[in-house]
Amino acid sequence: GKKLGFTIDSGRFHNISLGQGQEMVAEEALKKAARHGHWVLLQNIHLAAKWLGTLEKLLEQYSEDSHPDFRVFISAEPAPTPEEHIIPQGILENSIKITSEPPAGMLANLHAALYSFDQDTLELCTREGEFKSIFFSLCFFHACVAGRLKFGPQGWNGRYPFSARDLAVCVTLLCNYLETHTKVPWEDLRYLFGEIMYGGHITDAWDRRLCCTYLQEFISPPVLEGELTLAPGFLAPPNLDYAGYHKYIDKTLPSESPVLYGLHPSAEMGYLTAMSDNLFKTLLEIQPQMNSFVGEGSGQSAEEKVKNVLDSILEMLPEEFNTAEIMQRTTAWSPYTLVCLQECERMNLLLSDIRRSLKQLDLGLKASDFFGELMFSPHMDVLQSALFYDAVPDTWTKLAYPSTHSLAPWVTDLLMQYGELEIWTQDLVLPAVVWLSGLFNPQSFLTAVMQSTAHKNNWPLDKVCLTVDVTKKTKEDYGHPPREGAYICGLYLEGARWDIQLGTTAEARLKELTPAMPVIFVRAIPVDRRETSNVYECPVYKTKSRGPTYVWTFNLKSQEKPAKGVLAGVALLLAV
């Protein structure tokens, strides 16, 4: 556009970022551009979903009898799910579509970060040595946070739009602060970069901790002394020119590995496994479904397969708990008793919905055999599709606990969970070891541990916290619960492993993605007695999806500095 004379200064280029009532401005710009042959760039049209119908009509109107030089450019973020595809089909069909893929790998990301600048940028600041050193560390930080997104939840809990613009603003801030301060204001720079510029995108508290930890490692005094190791085998470069930095990267940067981002090498296995699962899931979903045969020579149609799965689940499904009868088994109402009853009620709701929906589907399948066509409601059609693909139906998922399992292991887990509750309801006494992963609401149980201890010792509940001691035993080694607190099991450690002999976290072994934890003793203590040294604040999540499945924070003993666990994405999971 600049070569052809379409610039903002000439008045022939209109750049409009949609959102916050910019629709009228965009309509005026389109009208003017169509008449005089200008170019219009509409940015972020996904933020103006209600206006897209109007835009489609305007583009159709201006496509006739408009100036031959009139052009419209549109940008939008890709929709994460098919349901969020909001751009009208008419706009898509009449457009030339271009996809901008982010760089893949540390090498490409680091070069891309530098390509946003030139030699003039390196000469902006009078304190050249300090500026260049911090500038390169900042570029490496940007490459880390951008490249880490590919590792999914172990990389970041959320998907954040980190861009070259964030980096450019940080470099400008760096130059200004160095010019106005005699000493490098490390704390100020880290706060501006981590809490405002990059942190402005971040919505998750644990992701914010990760971002700030990166900056603590990279934006620190050792970078000025040439002693900072940005990644294993990659030292911060000496004072070079612009071309020299690119050559230094090509020559000294190690080959692509999760280690460059602070992650364990096994993180790549998890990332590739997730990619493969998504690929095969997509391939399965685009296959012809109904009225097709499950396998060559099997002679089994899709309806027959669904009927077999349906009958199998109905046969295994246990009866609902009689909560009225259970409540009469005790007169001592403790927080644990309430948790047990709440879990039974949640289980009853789930079992009732499963039984009802499966019986309805069974009747629909029988009616189709009788009338020769499927007599289905939309809900039954969705249920049949889920059973066919060995997926857990959405209606069941909403009433159950978060899980990433397919249908068969999910049903197995459900039956195990029912068995645990059945034992607990016999006398409503706390089990010797509680299977935390099998609870609908594990937070309520952990809160009950605090309430029970606080009540027993007359402690204010807001002055109490949980502490954990990882034992050396398994569930079978315990015959009764502890006097205070509870024994829990069913947790897995991702990003590290537990060294039973040393009683601390340790480097994960290759190909061991989520080793199981021994039984953990959970108890409540006053906040002022909580240990804060030689511990890693480990988040506990329900599934590998992390993010919204957060449960609690357990302080695990560790001989490493906390930054290593944070960068490695170490977390406890209730289900894998």
Side-chain angles (χ1 to χ4, degrees):
K2 191 174 182 180
K3 290 180 180 178
L4 297 174
F6 291 95
T7 62
I8 293 176
D9 293 337
S10 68
R12 301 180 67 195
F13 180 71
H14 308 275
N15 184 1
I16 300 161
S17 183
L18 290 172
Q20 298 183 348
Q22 292 296 302
E23 291 85 354
M24 294 300 296
V25 177
E27 289 179 21
E28 286 297 321
L30 287 169
K31 183 178 179 181
K32 181 179 179 181
R35 186 166 61 248
H36 299 292
H38 297 173
W39 286 9
V40 179
L41 171 60
L42 301 177
Q43 297 187 55
N44 301 324
I45 64 166
H46 59 280
L47 299 178
K50 294 181 180 178
W51 181 70
L52 293 181
T54 304
L55 175 62
E56 183 180 14
K57 293 176 183 176
L58 289 174
L59 292 177
E60 186 178 350
Q61 175 187 336
Y62 294 141
S63 65
E64 301 174 2
D65 302 326
S66 61
H67 195 285
D69 290 337
F70 172 54
R71 297 289 185 276
V72 179
F73 301 88
I74 297 172
S75 75
E77 288 186 3
T81 62
E83 292 75 20
E84 295 177 69
H85 289 170
I86 58 173
I87 300 176
Q89 189 174 352
I91 294 179
L92 292 173
E93 288 179 349
N94 294 313
S95 302
I96 298 172
K97 291 166 283 294
I98 300 173
T99 302
S100 175
E101 292 284 350
M106 176 61 78
L107 181 66
N109 271 301
L110 193 48
H111 277 305
L114 282 172
Y115 285 141
S116 302
F117 309 98
D118 53 24
Q119 181 62 36
D120 293 339
T121 306
L122 299 181
E123 298 169 359
L124 278 175
C125 186
T126 55
R127 296 164 67 177
E128 184 179 320
E130 293 170 324
F131 176 75
K132 283 185 175 180
S133 297
I134 302 174
F135 165 79
F136 190 87
S137 287
L138 200 52
C139 288
F140 190 82
F141 161 75
H142 177 81
C144 280
V145 298
R148 194 180 172 100
L149 287 167
K150 73 177 182 180
F151 294 101
Q154 194 173 355
W156 293 100
N157 282 344
R159 302 286 298 179
Y160 304 116
F162 301 124
S163 67
R165 182 64 184 161
D166 299 319
L167 178 60
V169 174
C170 288
V171 170
T172 303
L173 282 171
L174 170 63
C175 181
N176 293 340
Y177 266 69
L178 289 180
E179 293 288 0
T180 55
H181 292 75
T182 54
K183 292 184 178 180
V184 179
W186 298 107
E187 287 293 331
D188 292 355
L189 291 174
R190 285 194 290 260
Y191 181 84
L192 288 168
F193 300 159
E195 298 287 349
I196 298 176
M197 300 316 305
Y198 283 85
H201 297 295
I202 297 173
T203 55
D204 183 271
W206 297 102
D207 285 345
R208 190 175 297 277
R209 180 181 75 159
L210 171 62
C211 180
C212 292
T213 301
Y214 266 131
L215 289 167
Q216 288 282 355
E217 295 292 303
F218 298 153
I219 311 298
S220 58
V223 73
L224 303 181
E225 300 159 11
E227 300 174 356
L228 182 66
T229 301
L230 295 172
F234 188 61
L235 285 169
N239 191 332
L240 302 171
D241 61 8
Y242 182 74
Y245 282 129
H246 281 290
K247 291 177 182 176
Y248 181 84
I249 293 168
D250 289 330
K251 183 179 179 181
T252 61
L253 186 69
S255 57
E256 181 67 16
S257 164
V259 176
L260 294 175
Y261 306 91
L263 292 159
H264 189 268
S266 295
E268 187 166 29
M269 188 184 300
Y271 149 67
L272 294 173
T273 302
M275 277 186 62
S276 302
D277 288 345
N278 289 333
L279 173 63
F280 285 116
K281 182 181 177 183
T282 304
L283 288 173
L284 183 64
E285 288 177 350
I286 63 176
Q287 297 301 309
Q289 177 191 339
M290 307 318 296
N291 301 320
S292 62
F293 289 93
V294 175
E296 290 186 17
S298 68
Q300 187 183 34
S301 68
E303 288 84 356
E304 289 171 341
K305 178 189 174 183
V306 170
K307 184 71 167 68
N308 290 338
V309 173
L310 181 153
D311 290 340
S312 174
I313 295 176
L314 279 176
E315 186 179 342
M316 292 187 290
L317 212 60
E319 292 299 319
E320 296 170 24
F321 288 105
N322 187 335
T323 52
E325 181 186 328
I326 293 170
M327 291 170 68
Q328 294 174 358
R329 295 175 186 171
T330 184
T331 54
W333 291 87
S334 70
Y336 299 126
T337 307
L338 294 175
V339 170
C340 179
L341 290 171
Q342 288 170 357
E343 290 291 314
C344 289
E345 289 172 359
R346 293 281 296 271
M347 177 63 77
N348 285 349
L349 285 173
L350 178 57
L351 292 175
S352 173
D353 188 75
I354 293 173
R355 186 174 282 107
R356 178 191 56 77
S357 58
L358 289 179
K359 286 184 176 179
Q360 283 183 354
L361 180 59
D362 191 29
L363 290 173
L365 290 171
K366 289 176 179 176
S368 69
D369 291 338
F370 183 77
F371 292 106
E373 60 181 19
L374 295 178
M375 310 291 289
F376 279 1
S377 67
H379 293 296
M380 292 164 66
D381 195 38
V382 170
L383 176 61
Q384 180 181 233
S385 178
L387 297 183
F388 179 78
Y389 288 127
D390 194 32
V392 184
D394 289 340
T395 52
W396 301 0
T397 303
K398 289 175 183 176
L399 295 173
Y401 45 87
S403 174
T404 55
H405 284 317
S406 57
L407 182 60
W410 185 86
V411 171
T412 303
D413 267 4
L414 178 67
L415 297 176
M416 287 175 61
Q417 183 183 2
Y418 183 91
E420 293 283 327
L421 280 176
E422 197 170 30
I423 295 171
W424 195 351
T425 55
Q426 295 299 320
D427 50 12
L428 292 176
V429 174
L430 182 68
V433 181
V434 175
W435 183 37
L436 194 67
S437 311
L439 298 178
F440 287 95
N441 188 358
Q443 291 99 320
S444 67
F445 178 79
L446 295 173
T447 304
V449 173
M450 294 172 58
Q451 291 173 332
S452 179
T453 307
H455 178 72
K456 184 177 180 180
N457 295 283
N458 291 320
W459 294 338
L461 189 59
D462 60 342
K463 302 294 183 182
V464 172
C465 67
L466 286 183
T467 185
V468 296
D469 296 309
V470 183
T471 70
K472 296 182 179 181
K473 299 180 180 180
T474 61
K475 182 179 179 180
E476 290 71 24
D477 296 328
Y478 290 93
H480 54 81
R483 293 180 181 178
E484 280 191 1
Y487 295 123
I488 60 173
C489 67
L491 286 88
Y492 303 84
L493 194 59
E494 185 175 36
R497 66 181 175 88
W498 185 258
D499 190 315
I500 295 179
Q501 301 305 320
L502 296 177
T504 64
T505 58
E507 184 86 8
R509 295 190 179 99
L510 285 173
K511 299 184 180 180
E512 283 189 8
L513 300 183
T514 50
M517 292 286 287
V519 169
I520 298 176
F521 176 36
V522 182
R523 57 194 174 91
I525 59 170
V527 173
D528 55 11
R529 283 168 45 193
R530 177 172 50 187
E531 285 189 32
T532 55
S533 60
N534 298 322
V535 296
Y536 168 65
E537 292 186 11
C538 185
V540 182
Y541 298 99
K542 292 180 182 178
T543 71
K544 277 191 170 186
S545 303
R546 301 196 180 193
T549 68
Y550 170 75
V551 176
W552 212 273
T553 303
F554 286 174
N555 283 359
L556 299 180
K557 291 180 181 177
S558 175
Q559 294 180 345
E560 302 283 353
K561 61 178 186 177
K564 183 172 182 180
V566 173
L567 298 184
V570 176
L572 284 166
L573 307 176
L574 296 184
V576 295

